[in-house]
Amino acid sequence: MANYTITAANVVPSAAAIKSLGTAGETITPGMPVYLKSSDGRLWKADADASLETATVAGIALNVASAGQPLWICTQDPEFAHGTSATSGALWLSATAGALCPEADVYAVGLYPQCIAALYADTVTLAALNCSALYTPEVGA
Amino acid sequence: MSAVSITAANVLKSASAVGPFTKNAGATITAGQVVYLDSGTDTLKLADANLSVAAATVAGIALHGAYSGNPCQYVAVDPAFVVGGTLVAGQLYCLGATAGTIVPVTDLTTGDVRAVLGVANSTSTLNLNCFSGTVVGP
């Protein structure tokens, strides 16, 4: 299966969302999962198979930002408008930087599976987002 | 002269900027565009010098892109604001009659509210200090 496509304008947090502000380390667009790089303290596109650090998702980007510009991220949201092409199941971090994919794509050697959000069955444009989940990334076997 | 051509990726506040402040976007905004606060929705929209006095009451300049419903940071005071475009040193810049734009004051005409953004320090930075007129200009 392929990565989900993201429609940036459709990525919208709810009023109950928990948001955080950081600085982009590269060009980021709404809907992209991002991680916090320890070496520069900036937010970069998360990646499921680059390293444990890149696979530790800090949140979902909420705005367009170039390197050095402010970047808002959503870390938790019970009704997050995810803006992806997913219509069921959950959103998982992809092995493509800044992308999300279905669960079927995450079980591979050298990949750190991480579930980001679960779609609502009745309103598929919304998802329960939790980037602070207790799920511990593991290398796929 | 014409509106300053902004490269969104190059817009940056300085370390001396006041704030910045944050409100949700009520329209699609890109970095470097001038914004006002719509009091009815409490959201940021693109400021416009000849739409209305309210729309010309500048809140500041957006620091990054934002779609409607998402938070947007902006600054109104910054002694060395990098606008992301080419300026003329010493020129006074104002809000333009095209939504979100920055223009030299000489571009404004009858019916445009004079909303001052600041004076250029150089070809790239603006001594940003936003304040707007309360009536339509002559």
Side-chain angles (χ1 to χ4, degrees), chain A residues 8-13 19 21 27 30 61-72 80, chain B residues 7-13 20 22 24 28 31 63-73:
Chain A
N10 294 345
V11 179
V12 184
K19 300 185 285 282
L21 179 66
T27 299
L62 297 179
N63 61 266
V64 177
S66 298
Q69 293 183 339
L71 179 65
W72 286 95
F80 185 70
Chain B
T7 300
N10 296 341
V11 177
L12 283 174
K13 67 175 181 66
T22 302
N24 273 359
T28 299
L63 296 179
H64 58 79
Y67 288 100
S68 184
N70 282 302
C72 183
Q73 278 208 323

Side-chain angles (χ1 to χ4, degrees), chain B residues 6-56:
Chain B
I6 305 293
T7 300
N10 296 341
V11 177
L12 283 174
K13 67 175 181 66
S14 77
S16 302
V18 175
F21 305 101
T22 302
K23 283 286 186 181
N24 273 359
T28 299
I29 296 169
T30 58
Q33 289 190 307
V34 187
V35 294
Y36 79 101
L37 184 62
D38 182 324
S39 59
T41 60
D42 197 30
T43 60
L44 294 174
K45 296 181 178 177
L46 297 181
D48 189 322
N50 67 354
L51 180 63
S52 67
V53 172

